[in-house]
Amino acid sequence: MTQSLTLRPVTDRADLRAFIRMPRRVFADDPNWIVPLDIERRDVFDKQRNPYFATAEAQYWIAERGGRPVGRISAQVDQLARGAGEPGLGHFGAFDCLDDAEAAAALFQAAEDWLRARGTTRVTGPFTLSINEETGLLIDGFDTPPRVMMGHAKPYYARLVETQGYAKVRDIYAYDLDLTPGFPPKINRIVAAGRRNPRLAIRQVDMADLDREIRVVFDIFNKAWAGNWGFVPFNEDQLKHAAKTLKPLIGPERCQIIEYDGRPAAFMITIADVNDWIADLNGSLMPFGWARMVWRLYRSYPTQVRVPLMGVLPEFQRGALGATMAFMLISNIRDEVFKRGTRRGELGWILEDNAGMNNMLRQIGSQIYKTYRIYEKAL
């Protein structure tokens, strides 16, 4: 590189705008990258908007050459994650960079110095910003666009990260499901048996009382996933934010709950893949993007959907009843969205060592089409 490298922390709104828009330069020649909406990214990174920052702190940096951005990174300390895992845990995220080893090294050095000053002894990531948001670095599956709330990367990103001493701690999978064929006879028999069980009742969420329904869903989620690697529970403020964020993306037929003896026991949330709808907006709703987005949200039906959240209470997870609940949810929602025009779904992310869920998704015909890697480094 002929121009000298400079590194600066994000300190004001102009910096934040530059930080949010920096990946446009990296992915300018990538036909599979979907430009995120600037307004949505501000909701994530603005410390006044995202309830994540009620229990966490973060710092962002931009690397530049000749006044032009060449990379970015975040470092964050999440007290909920420290409480659930270890007191010295820290995270990095929002890593995007040109194939510039010097810039990557400077970005990681700044992030690690900041984390050390806050008592961090082990760094994991990338998380943007939480494990409950965009998680992992894409290492396989670069030839298709990312679905909503999933990240994208260049193939060289892994080299830049690993050169800084980071090693794999977990891989996570995203599964693609063609909804057209339906499910194998064995799965249909399991679903039929579940529907005949008088102790099981499946219902759609009540959109008129979405705040309460979201509480039901996340109560199951926090219990269902508590034993998984890296789990961080949702708190009250995050629940309210999730309800507000998810409302435009969900419909009652796409979000269902199973009750066992009248008590909520399992759920599945399926959201519209809005990445398919924003691909032509170039990150902006102005001047006419608003009209297009409103039309697509409320006047059309998604051809692609994503399942970001699913859970079964722990007491049912290791028996046939838990599997039956999961298959019932997947089958019911598949039937509802298919008759309305949806043809593909993404299910994930799924930890590589979650044998039960990986086996279940393979049984219904899903195939791994993207792999994301979570890294760690001792400081």
Side-chain angles (χ1 to χ4, degrees):
M1 299 289 179
T2 56
Q3 296 174 312
S4 62
L5 179 76
T6 59
L7 193 70
R8 60 186 175 89
V10 170
T11 59
D12 57 28
R13 296 190 69 82
D15 288 342
L16 183 60
R17 175 178 169 81
F19 180 85
I20 288 171
R21 296 173 67 88
M22 184 274 145
R24 293 168 183 244
R25 189 173 181 208
V26 176
F27 296 110
D29 62 347
D30 188 337
N32 290 307
W33 186 58
I34 305 293
V35 184
L37 292 177
D38 289 343
I39 190 171
E40 185 274 331
R41 291 290 85 186
R42 282 198 299 274
D43 276 347
V44 172
F45 292 114
D46 191 321
K47 298 172 186 179
Q48 305 303 313
R49 298 189 186 191
N50 190 341
Y52 167 82
F53 290 104
T55 57
E57 60 177 323
Q59 180 60 58
Y60 316 135
W61 292 266
I62 302 171
E64 296 178 329
R65 288 190 187 278
R68 300 190 68 191
V70 295
R72 70 172 191 175
I73 201 169
S74 72
Q76 54 265 19
V77 170
D78 182 349
Q79 296 303 330
L80 290 178
R82 284 189 166 186
E86 60 188 88
L89 185 63
H91 296 150
F92 79 92
F95 175 69
D96 288 287
C97 195
L98 298 177
D99 195 357
D100 183 333
E102 183 187 11
L107 288 164
F108 275 100
Q109 185 65 57
E112 291 167 10
D113 288 346
W114 186 90
L115 288 166
R116 281 192 188 92
R118 284 152 183 81
T120 300
T121 56
R122 185 171 70 97
V123 187
T124 60
F127 303 125
T128 307
L129 294 163
S130 161
I131 196 171
N132 294 323
E133 298 176 60
E134 286 185 13
T135 296
L137 180 72
L138 184 68
I139 61 165
D140 185 62
F142 302 98
D143 57 342
T144 54
R147 301 283 174 87
V148 60
M149 299 171 66
M150 298 293 279
H152 195 56
K154 290 280 194 175
Y156 63 78
Y157 275 28
R159 168 171 45 82
L160 294 180
V161 173
E162 291 164 12
T163 299
Q164 301 309 312
Y166 287 81
K168 169 190 167 179
V169 61
R170 287 291 193 286
D171 279 351
I172 56 177
Y173 301 137
Y175 283 84
D176 176 68
L177 177 63
D178 181 355
L179 302 184
T180 303
F183 297 145
K186 175 183 175 182
I187 304 303
N188 291 332
R189 288 194 295 270
I190 293 172
V191 171
R195 289 171 178 164
R196 292 192 300 268
N197 188 333
R199 306 184 75 176
L200 295 178
I202 189 166
R203 66 174 178 84
Q204 298 180 354
V205 299
D206 181 0
M207 296 297 290
D209 197 2
L210 188 59
D211 286 347
R212 182 184 67 83
E213 295 284 61
I214 289 291
R215 289 176 185 276
V216 170
V217 162
F218 281 102
D219 179 65
I220 298 173
F221 176 83
N222 282 342
K223 292 173 181 174
W225 290 92
N228 280 278
W229 179 90
F231 170 75
V232 177
F234 281 85
N235 63 22
E236 182 71 18
D237 289 338
Q238 291 166 344
L239 286 178
K240 293 177 182 177
H241 187 70
K244 178 182 176 182
T245 301
L246 291 174
K247 188 171 184 178
L249 307 182
I250 64 177
E253 77 284 355
R254 298 197 296 271
C255 302
Q256 301 191 19
I257 295 170
I258 288 184
E259 296 177 347
Y260 181 77
D261 288 342
R263 180 171 66 101
F267 77 93
M268 179 168 146
I269 288 182
T270 305
I271 60 178
D273 179 24
V274 294
N275 277 8
D276 195 36
W277 288 342
I278 68 171
D280 62 346
L281 300 183
N282 197 34
S284 176
L285 293 176
M286 301 301 289
F288 304 114
W290 283 106
R292 289 188 218 169
M293 197 64 188
V294 169
W295 175 264
R296 291 163 183 173
L297 279 172
Y298 298 107
R299 299 298 183 187
S300 63
Y301 203 81
T303 59
Q304 299 184 147
V305 295
R306 177 172 175 250
V307 179
L309 294 171
M310 182 177 182
V312 177
L313 286 177
E315 63 204 76
F316 302 113
Q317 286 179 3
R318 298 191 179 277
L321 191 57
T324 297
M325 291 180 187
F327 283 132
M328 287 175 65
L329 288 163
I330 295 170
S331 179
N332 263 35
I333 293 176
R334 178 266 171 199
D335 292 347
E336 291 288 348
V337 301
F338 184 78
K339 68 186 181 184
R340 290 169 169 83
T342 302
R343 292 297 176 263
R344 303 203 80 85
E346 180 186 279
L347 299 98
W349 48 265
I350 309 297
L351 285 164
E352 63 178 336
D353 52 2
N354 187 338
M357 186 59 71
N358 283 298
N359 182 53
M360 183 178 298
L361 295 184
R362 292 187 180 106
Q363 286 187 65
I364 63 172
S366 302
Q367 296 183 332
I368 296 171
Y369 84 117
K370 289 183 184 290
T371 301
Y372 295 81
R373 181 157 292 170
I374 302 172
Y375 289 91
E376 69 175 355
K377 178 180 179 179
L379 294 186

